[in-house]
Amino acid sequence: VIPEHAYLVRDQIPLPAFDLPIEGRAGRHDVYPVTVTDDTAATARKLADLALRPRATIVTDDTVAALHAQPLVAALRGCGLTVDVVSVPPGEKSKSLAVAMTLLDKLALSSVGRRDLIIAFGGGVVIDTAGWVASAYMRGVPYANAPTTLLAAVDAALGGKVAVDHPVAKNLIGAFYQPVGVVANVGFLSTLSARQIRAGLAEAIKKGMIASPELFEFIEANLEGILAKRLPVLERLVRYASAIKCELIARDPYERDLRRPLNFGHTVGHAVETTTGYGPVLHGEAVALGMAVAAGISLARGWTEPGTYDRLITLLHRAGLPHSTGQLRVGLDVDAVIGSLAKIRQIRDGSLRFVLPLEVGTVAMTDDVTDLEVEQALLSHVPAAAS
Ligand SMILES: NC(=O)c1ccc[n+]([C@@H]2O[C@H](COP(=O)([O-])OP(=O)(O)OC[C@H]3O[C@@H](n4cnc5c(N)ncnc54)[C@H](O)[C@@H]3O)[C@@H](O)[C@H]2O)c1
Ligand SMILES: [Zn+2]
């Protein structure tokens, strides 16, 4: 006799006709909440709400662990969670298979199960690495992002692009694997250096430029407050930029379409990072220069007005972000940048996509930008009226 509580499934799945195609279906609808706060207790409550079981493993880096882990761990325990902390060395070097492997080893040797929460607590490096580990461990365990850099809060924590680097290329080993939630506490940003704030801001300026005149105006009007790390201003900035990124990725969450406005500034930006060896130039700084170059190309083509161009350059300038090659902390080999772009063009069957700004909130995407145009925009660029 089958006990009442047993879950009985009676089924009669029909066999397919001989010549009917068989289709594998795995439709999935991922929705996750994004919370922005300045309060550690609220951060812990939100993270605890995301946990299916009262147990979480925080993955962080040594710098963030020393600065911010203790109050978060205490607050999470206050919410009834059992919490473990695993820390990796800070810096891009930790975004590696080797470090991911040490995390997987720790998980495998612990009693963490497939319903236990991983909390990625750190900048983009921790978020990308912990997210990738979460995607792989037991074919995927839930993870939540608690970003601690402005770059991670406005960008890396959203969208579920998880990866580690390979010596051949950055982000080469990765997946799309969505978090169960994002909780951005701007209070954690108060210990960031001015340079890190500026670099994160570049990605927010980008979102204003491609999709939101209102966000762009907000940054213009509140720049001093942002750079001074005033929490109410940072909270609004992260809220606005997160909402815009979420809206943009919802249109194409798995990047099937190559026409991605979010790549504004990244074509040249990535080439700058590659040729300078990922280190001396921060990602946000490279993107700032890339945006200035794209705007310069657009201006030279007559696709944008000098007024729009000046508005972008002036904002980058006020934000202390590089908008000409001479402003980078290292010399830039322009020929190497062009060579790096040529290589991408080669890999992509001759096409290299550029996002060119037309107005604040309007961009055009095109494949026909020539090496000469890039070179001229990189070389001829005159710093903004040094205002
Ligand atoms: N997944 C995505 O969609 C996406 C988007 C953009 C960038 N990224 C990735 O993000 C990475 C860069 O992220 P990042 O700029 O946050 O770098 P990061 O994670 O290396 O953090 C920068 C430095 O700041 C320190 N730090 C972090 N939080 C701090 C705090 N609150 N106070 C003081 N110091 C703190 C870190 O220890 C580190 O030394 C890159 O690997 C990039 O590829 C991913
Ligand atoms: Zn970026």
Side-chain angles (χ1 to χ4, degrees):
V1 176
I2 299 163
E4 227 173 82
H5 61 264
Y7 181 60
L8 192 73
V9 179
R10 197 188 303 279
D11 218 337
Q12 292 190 17
I13 299 172
L15 296 180
F18 179 74
D19 53 357
L20 218 67
I22 301 172
E23 189 177 56
R25 284 194 305 271
R28 202 164 73 174
H29 193 60
D30 290 310
V31 178
Y32 51 92
V34 178
T35 306
V36 185
T37 176
D38 63 356
D39 179 71
T40 300
T43 305
R45 277 198 305 277
K46 282 287 169 193
L47 288 169
D49 284 349
L50 296 170
L52 297 170
R53 275 170 25 90
R55 167 153 194 188
T57 303
I58 293 180
V59 177
T60 188
D61 73 26
D62 297 341
T63 303
V64 177
L67 289 167
H68 300 293
Q70 200 260 330
L72 180 65
V73 170
L76 284 168
R77 288 188 178 140
C79 295
L81 260 62
T82 303
V83 185
D84 299 304
V85 179
V86 186
S87 180
V88 303
E92 185 74 28
K93 279 212 177 74
S94 280
K95 228 177 101 168
S96 66
L97 265 184
V99 168
M101 201 54 217
T102 64
L103 292 172
L104 288 167
D105 285 344
K106 284 192 177 138
L107 290 172
L109 295 171
S110 75
S111 54
V112 171
R114 57 179 309 166
R115 291 165 63 80
D116 294 325
L117 184 66
I118 290 182
I119 298 174
F121 181 47
V125 164
V126 161
I127 282 177
D128 283 6
T129 309
W132 185 78
V133 164
S135 80
Y137 187 60
M138 295 180 161
R139 298 198 183 89
V141 293
Y143 79 107
N145 287 331
T148 64
T149 63
L150 183 58
L151 183 105
V154 301
D155 203 350
L158 308 154
K161 280 167 76 173
V162 297
V164 294
D165 301 335
H166 185 278
V168 164
K170 229 175 106 60
N171 297 323
L172 195 64
I173 304 161
F176 282 98
Y177 186 64
Q178 307 300 336
V180 294
V182 178
V183 187
N185 179 347
V186 293
F188 295 135
L189 308 185
S190 59
T191 48
L192 286 174
S193 67
R195 191 178 176 204
Q196 291 285 356
I197 292 280
R198 295 176 205 281
L201 182 57
E203 293 280 10
I205 293 173
K206 177 193 80 179
K207 291 174 181 79
M209 198 66 198
I210 62 177
S212 172
E214 277 185 286
L215 174 62
F216 198 88
E217 281 164 29
F218 173 82
I219 298 170
E220 286 178 322
N222 291 280
L223 188 62
E224 283 69 32
I226 294 167
L227 298 178
K229 298 185 279 190
R230 292 211 354 250
L231 296 192
V233 183
L234 287 177
E235 194 174 338
R236 282 170 71 196
L237 174 71
V238 172
R239 255 188 85 75
Y240 295 162
S242 299
I244 288 161
K245 176 151 189 195
C246 286
E247 178 59 36
L248 288 170
I249 49 188
R251 295 176 191 172
D252 180 24
Y254 298 104
E255 302 193 348
R256 302 253 152 76
D257 193 344
L258 287 171
R259 292 163 299 180
R260 290 194 290 271
L262 281 165
N263 274 353
F264 175 44
H266 283 63
T267 313
V268 166
H270 283 148
V272 168
E273 285 183 283
T274 307
T275 54
T276 54
Y278 296 98
V281 181
L282 297 180
H283 178 69
E285 294 168 345
V287 169
L289 179 61
M291 289 193 286
V293 169
I297 294 169
S298 193
L299 181 70
R301 287 181 166 205
W303 286 18
T304 193
E305 301 285 326
T308 304
Y309 173 82
D310 284 343
R311 216 174 139 194
L312 174 65
I313 301 299
T314 302
L315 184 56
L316 295 175
H317 189 77
R318 284 178 60 211
L321 283 162
H323 49 84
S324 71
T325 50
Q327 291 166 321
L328 294 177
R329 299 202 166 194
V330 286
L332 190 69
D333 181 345
V334 171
D335 288 340
V337 172
I338 302 289
S340 164
L341 292 173
K343 218 159 123 190
I344 300 169
R345 189 175 272 140
Q346 200 182 14
I347 295 167
R348 299 203 182 141
D349 291 331
S351 88
L352 182 63
R353 190 132 306 160
F354 265 84
V355 181
L356 301 182
L358 306 188
E359 290 169 35
V360 177
T362 309
V363 293
M365 279 156 277
T366 177
D367 281 341
D368 65 358
V369 172
T370 64
D371 288 352
L372 188 65
E373 283 180 284
V374 179
E375 196 176 322
Q376 282 173 346
L378 267 169
L379 291 175
S380 74
H381 179 77
V382 192
S387 44

